[in-house]
Amino acid sequence: MLKNFLRGFGALTLAVLPLTASSPVQAAPAPARVRAAQVTTLPDAIDRVRLDDEDRSGYTRSSFRHWNAGDIATDGCNTRNEVLLAEAVRAPEVGPGCRLTGGLWFSYYDGQEVTDPGALDIDHMVPLAEAWDSGASAWTPTRREAYANDQGAAASLVAVTARTNRQKADQDPAQWMPPAPDAQCRYVGEWVATKLRWQLTADTAELEALKVFADGPCEDSVVSYTPAP
């Protein structure tokens, strides 16, 4: 079963102003727009991903500013360490400079337990180069930075062993899948969720590879995603 849960949902509050004879009627402030989570089956989610050719022209990794100050600007931890804190199975101690010690993590790509945060990479579920190919080349630098540091969805960034992250590199599911067989349905679901969250496209080979899983071992998987702000 796909374990793809968003880290948080916004709350919607409507302000209602009383009407009195002695005071003019004032319009209530417009409520903040909340993007609802979309929940669907894996086959349907794949059908929602738009088909398009990929183009890597002009790509450089520096086009995506990543590991910025993170979601909590005052905690002294960058995005990488905030993800490690969020995904720890056993919470680490946080020292000066956000140095993490004593924690435990589970790398679901290969089923490994890791106690040394230095042995972990924070993987962009859809790699930066793949995102560029699939639509991010047309984004502003600000939006690319938001993508590279996205903690608004648990699937976007994931702590995994450096070995598996580097084996994956910038490959899509037509070229690479996690070595742990029981991780593959989760991986496919999270890949598709990230593509939908950021309205990224997929090429023919990628979609065909995803559909092999959707039509086979992962047909009962559920995909949940919230469109990016």
Side-chain angles (χ1 to χ4, degrees):
M1 184 73 175
L2 173 68
K3 298 178 181 177
N4 176 22
F5 297 100
L6 303 180
R7 290 193 178 119
F9 297 94
L12 178 63
T13 303
L14 296 178
V16 180
L17 300 181
L19 304 180
T20 66
S22 60
S23 61
V25 175
Q26 297 182 11
R33 183 178 179 183
V34 174
R35 292 174 177 260
Q38 305 292 311
V39 181
T40 187
T41 63
L42 179 59
D44 180 65
I46 293 171
D47 287 342
R48 297 184 188 188
V49 179
R50 186 167 62 85
L51 173 67
D52 202 359
D53 293 332
E54 295 186 354
D55 182 3
R56 195 158 297 186
S57 300
Y59 169 74
T60 62
R61 189 169 175 82
S62 61
S63 298
F64 296 80
R65 180 173 178 258
H66 55 288
W67 306 167
N68 61 19
D71 283 359
I72 307 174
T74 59
D75 67 357
C77 298
N78 63 11
T79 299
R80 170 187 161 82
N81 280 356
E82 287 185 358
V83 173
L84 288 174
L85 288 168
E87 296 193 1
V89 177
R90 182 179 68 234
E93 294 183 6
V94 183
C98 200
R99 183 172 180 269
L100 306 181
T101 56
L104 176 67
W105 291 267
F106 180 74
S107 167
Y108 90 82
Y109 287 4
D110 52 1
Q112 299 297 306
E113 290 187 344
V114 181
T115 56
D116 176 10
L120 293 164
D121 280 354
I122 304 303
D123 182 36
H124 292 92
M125 173 57 58
V126 175
L128 301 180
E130 168 71 19
W132 178 274
D133 298 349
S134 308
S137 61
W139 295 351
T140 64
T142 298
R143 187 160 182 81
R144 286 196 290 267
E145 180 178 350
Y147 176 84
N149 297 275
D150 181 22
Q151 295 185 67
S156 296
L157 300 171
V158 56
V160 296
T161 57
R163 179 181 63 256
T164 53
N165 183 48
R166 291 164 198 183
Q167 288 172 349
K168 172 184 173 179
D170 59 6
Q171 300 177 94
D172 69 28
Q175 303 156 320
W176 185 89
M177 289 294 293
D182 60 356
Q184 293 180 352
C185 287
R186 173 180 173 182
Y187 183 79
V188 169
E190 293 189 344
W191 179 278
V192 175
T194 305
K195 286 257 168 161
L196 291 172
R197 172 170 169 78
W198 289 93
Q199 298 182 15
L200 296 170
T201 63
D203 63 17
T204 300
E206 179 185 342
L207 284 177
E208 288 178 351
L210 293 169
K211 287 176 180 178
V212 167
F213 287 90
D215 293 340
C218 309
E219 63 179 344
D220 294 329
S221 295
V222 174
V223 173
S224 176
Y225 68 94
T226 301

